[in-house]
Amino acid sequence: MRSARWHPWAAGAAVVLVLPLTSCENSSAVAPDDIDAGLLTVLADGPGDVVTEWSGDGDDFPDHPYIPEDVEISVAHPEFPGAEAFSTALRGHIDREVMDFRGASRDPVGLEIAWEVVAADEDVLGVRLVRTEEDLHGLRQAYATYWYDVPTGHTGFSTELLADDAALVELNGLVGEALADHPDVDPQGLLPVMRTYDSIGFNAAGDLVVEFDDGHLSPVVEGHPPDSSPGRITAVIGAEQAEPLLSDLGERARSASLTEEPVLSVSEPDTDAEAAPAPPGVVTERGPDVDCTDPEVKCVALTFDDGPVEATAHVLDILAEQEVTASFFLNGNPLLTRPWLARRIYAEGHELGNHNDLHESMSEDFTPEELPAQVAMVSAGIRRQTGYTVELFRPPFGATDDDVKAELARQELAEVMWTVDSEDWTGSDRDTIADRVVELVEPNGVVLLHDPQPPTVAAVPEIIERLRKKDYVFVTVTQAFAPEVGGTYPPDWDGSW
């Protein structure tokens, strides 16, 4: 593998088959006796006679919503003869990574994306992208593998190596068992979402290798992002145990990873790739199956601002027990500190929204030139953790103006306010909060709550119980309002609710 510009290869610990990791310098597949179990096969790691390389810098990505100054970008991906669709898809994934690094990083310094070919035959191509980045919080690496189905022209995410969501859940359990005693792993961070499992492949023995980004599973450090120093952490699931979990693509990808004669030039697909179903780990259903425009249905959306914080986990426990779906509007620093909670919110079917980076007044504390960064940070951070693209933005304090609205529209967001202010931020106690919400709520109402407030957490079960007795159905903001980009909801919002 080509050495990264800012950071050497991060060594981790292979789990299940417990062997230390070493630098990956192999340019071709090697026999199982000669390789560490936690290393994916590497069939090529640079351009040659057959595989060429596209490379680019920051100037190749001019249309991102926020572009910080003086950030060095150096990215590349391979190009295979006959697989133009794969190149297009890889370019799109890299575009997203550059955009999200620009948006989500504190004082970003530089980003490099290098590549390796980890599978290559006439049926499947596999590419591993290694992202090395530096910002205020230091250096770290991240990993993603993508799989090209040659006959169909479809580029799959790593979770598409698995048969379905149930297989991903089972894999998540196996990985949890393997990492249970790992000193650098917080098991709460293991959630069956695509961005946790965005790098899955095979080693030279045919075992399934799951690798995690630097710090992705690290325990919480208050006021600081999770520690990335443990580096790359892997779990290796033996071939026999992994086989029942694999999709057809996964079985063929395993074969292509073990080939002794890599095929780097493939046939063009016969037809254009058809739309594929959502990959395992992508949550597509949020909220109950109800129509809030039906006058016979009384919908209400509970929303929680200012997280994720420690108490957010307690709120999620309550919602899970009560089988209630809600919407969460996150801020930058809490998201950096507890990214696993964003993954949990997403995994459990709740709606994620953007509440700006620093939780300051959008209309009073920022110039129009500063607004792009404030909006982009949380959207990019959520997408990095979940793969989900945020569609809703709630300005702190409800403070907005024409400049704010224009920036939200530019970043393809709808502005969401509320119909009931619980006033939990005033120091109200549990009963006062619950009474106010229940008395003021009306059909298609949106309730403003704050999960960092202990009385709010205590009031949630009572709010749910009392509203259910009034035949309310708990939905997401999107179900309540059907918001559109550039709009403000409720449409008649005047700040006086």
Side-chain angles (χ1 to χ4, degrees):
M1 170 183 141
R2 296 174 297 172
S3 61
R5 181 171 304 160
W6 297 289
H7 194 30
W9 182 260
V15 183
V16 179
L17 301 175
V18 184
L19 296 169
L21 295 181
T22 57
S23 295
C24 105
E25 302 293 344
N26 307 49
S27 59
S28 62
V30 295
D33 290 343
D34 299 324
I35 195 168
D36 288 337
L39 294 180
L40 278 66
T41 58
V42 178
L43 307 181
D45 63 355
D49 294 336
V50 179
V51 178
T52 59
E53 178 182 84
W54 176 87
S55 60
D57 56 26
D59 291 339
D60 292 290
F61 306 96
D63 58 347
H64 292 163
Y66 173 59
I67 303 177
E69 297 180 356
D70 301 322
V71 176
E72 187 172 1
I73 304 292
S74 176
V75 296
H77 68 73
E79 295 188 318
F80 303 87
E84 182 179 349
F86 195 22
S87 297
T88 300
L90 289 173
R91 189 85 55 84
H93 293 310
I94 287 174
D95 184 296
R96 182 200 64 202
E97 296 295 353
V98 173
M99 177 172 63
D100 290 346
F101 172 73
R102 284 169 163 174
S105 300
R106 290 275 189 256
D107 298 335
V109 175
L111 170 71
E112 181 183 63
I113 297 179
W115 58 269
E116 299 166 340
V117 178
V118 296
D121 67 10
E122 66 281 349
D123 207 38
V124 175
L125 299 172
V127 168
R128 176 177 185 259
L129 298 182
V130 181
R131 187 177 82 235
T132 304
E133 59 185 51
E134 181 180 7
D135 64 10
L136 171 68
H137 299 295
L139 294 155
R140 56 191 169 272
Q141 285 192 316
Y143 321 92
T145 55
Y146 299 98
W147 302 86
Y148 181 66
D149 188 345
V150 175
T152 67
H154 171 68
T155 296
F157 293 93
S158 277
T159 57
E160 291 178 68
L161 299 180
L162 304 173
D164 49 28
D165 280 297
L168 177 58
V169 170
E170 186 171 347
L171 176 63
N172 190 66
L174 293 172
V175 171
E177 293 173 7
L179 298 175
D181 298 324
H182 197 295
D184 298 312
V185 169
D186 181 351
Q188 296 180 110
L190 272 174
L191 292 152
V193 299
M194 189 180 69
R195 284 311 296 260
T196 290
Y197 288 90
D198 57 2
S199 192
I200 306 175
F202 302 89
N203 65 16
D207 304 316
L208 190 73
V209 179
V210 182
E211 58 182 351
F212 299 99
D213 300 347
D214 297 2
H216 190 87
L217 301 179
S218 293
V220 169
V221 179
E222 287 295 342
H224 195 278
D227 182 12
S228 63
S229 65
R232 175 180 179 266
I233 291 174
T234 68
V236 181
I237 310 300
E240 291 186 3
Q241 196 171 22
E243 185 176 5
L245 305 179
L246 298 180
S247 62
D248 172 70
L249 175 63
E251 293 173 354
R252 291 185 286 120
R254 180 178 181 272
S255 176
S257 301
L258 301 177
T259 183
E260 295 182 359
E261 297 182 3
V263 177
L264 300 173
S265 179
V266 298
S267 300
E268 293 278 1
D270 294 334
T271 59
D272 293 336
E274 297 181 359
V282 173
V283 181
T284 57
E285 295 183 4
R286 297 179 188 84
D289 184 14
V290 297
D291 179 4
C292 293
T293 65
D294 184 342
E296 301 298 318
V297 178
K298 296 168 65 175
C299 291
V300 62
L302 301 183
T303 68
F304 297 89
D305 288 8
D306 301 355
V309 295
E310 183 177 1
T312 305
H314 302 305
V315 173
L316 291 170
D317 290 342
I318 295 168
L319 297 178
E321 181 180 352
Q322 297 292 329
E323 298 183 346
V324 166
T325 303
S327 300
F328 291 79
F329 291 86
L330 309 187
N331 290 117
N333 286 335
L335 175 59
L336 287 174
T337 300
R338 286 181 171 81
W340 73 271
L341 272 173
R343 300 196 291 273
R344 182 179 168 187
I345 291 168
Y346 174 76
E348 295 185 0
H350 302 291
E351 186 168 50
L352 285 158
N354 185 335
H355 197 39
N356 110 346
D357 182 5
L358 299 177
H359 198 275
E360 296 176 354
S361 170
M362 296 286 288
S363 58
E364 297 179 5
D365 294 329
F366 303 106
T367 66
E369 293 74 24
E370 293 171 324
L371 291 176
Q374 285 298 309
V375 177
M377 192 279 169
V378 174
S379 294
I382 289 174
R383 188 164 43 239
R384 280 192 145 194
Q385 294 301 323
T386 67
Y388 174 66
T389 296
V390 170
E391 299 175 344
L392 307 179
F393 184 96
R394 173 174 283 166
F397 321 112
T400 188
D401 59 19
D402 290 344
D403 289 332
V404 173
K405 294 176 187 293
E407 184 57 37
L408 297 183
R410 191 177 74 88
Q411 297 200 30
E412 299 184 351
L413 295 162
E415 184 178 61
V416 173
M417 301 303 189
W418 53 86
T419 65
V420 177
D421 183 354
S422 69
E423 296 190 356
D424 56 354
W425 47 273
T426 64
S428 299
D429 61 21
R430 180 197 64 183
D431 293 339
T432 301
I433 294 169
D435 289 344
R436 179 175 174 82
V437 170
V438 174
E439 290 170 6
L440 294 179
V441 74
E442 294 180 352
N444 287 353
V446 173
V447 180
L448 173 64
L449 299 160
H450 298 82
D451 38 328
Q453 301 292 334
T456 299
V457 179
V460 169
E462 184 179 350
I463 291 171
I464 293 171
E465 180 182 2
R466 292 171 63 182
L467 289 180
R468 272 198 170 135
K469 288 181 178 179
K470 292 189 171 188
D471 297 324
Y472 276 94
V473 179
F474 296 94
V475 299
T476 66
V477 168
T478 294
Q479 289 179 293
F481 285 149
E484 297 181 359
V485 169
T488 296
Y489 299 86
D492 52 353
W493 167 263
D494 62 4
S496 62
W497 296 91

